[in-house]
Amino acid sequence: ADRYGPRPMIVASPSYGHPPTAPPNYGQPTTAPRGYGQPPSSPWGHPGGPPTPGPIGPGVQDERQWALFAHLGGVLAIFPLIHLLPAVVIFAAYQSRSEFIRDQAREALNFQIVILIAFFAARILNWLPFFPNLVALVWMFSLVFSVLAAVAASRGERYRYPLTYRFLA
């Protein structure tokens, strides 16, 4: 040993085509790291027992997505009765699976019923000369508030439409 400490072990580089030789393990254990050929600590592959089941029903992201789709049906308000279909189908399919989807689909359905009534009233009033294009105003109203509701639902917030009578409570 010199004054800088022990000299490092010099391993000759292998010649071309031959596998490298590693220095021997001087007194170190030769066990493989955990998970390489050793049996797990439990039959489930991890300590602590069997995995616990998660909540039944769609996940949080699925809930937000279906609520978003229920609200976006209002974009179709230019076509009477068709704009009701997304909210009706989602309300019927998910009313027993998720409280958030049920609430938001019910809110969207109530709003779309009000829009349907306003659409028919606008069609009647369009025959009068001083109300030129109320149908377009009803559609714009539905479009704006449906998009606002869809954005709120995508964030997981419960949205309440203005000027809406709650037919379905």
Side-chain angles (χ1 to χ4, degrees), residues 6-26:
R7 292 188 177 188
M9 182 175 170
I10 298 175
V11 178
S13 61
S15 62
Y16 182 73
H18 295 285
T21 56
N25 292 336
Y26 292 117

Side-chain angles (χ1 to χ4, degrees), residues 83-130:
H83 70 283
L84 290 170
L85 289 178
V88 167
V89 169
I90 291 170
F91 181 74
Y94 286 99
Q95 70 178 350
S96 63
R97 295 184 193 174
S98 169
E99 197 274 325
F100 178 71
I101 298 174
R102 180 179 57 242
D103 176 61
Q104 291 302 290
R106 182 177 51 228
E107 185 69 17
L109 189 56
N110 283 329
F111 181 67
Q112 297 310 323
I113 291 170
V114 168
I115 291 297
L116 183 66
I117 293 169
F119 177 79
F120 285 124
R123 292 291 297 225
I124 292 170
L125 290 175
N126 271 346
W127 290 341
L128 301 174
F130 46 89

Side-chain angles (χ1 to χ4, degrees), residues 8 10 14 23 29 46 50 72 74 115 129 144 154 158 167:
I10 298 175
H46 57 81
L72 282 182
I115 291 297
V144 168
S154 71
R158 295 178 188 271
F167 295 100

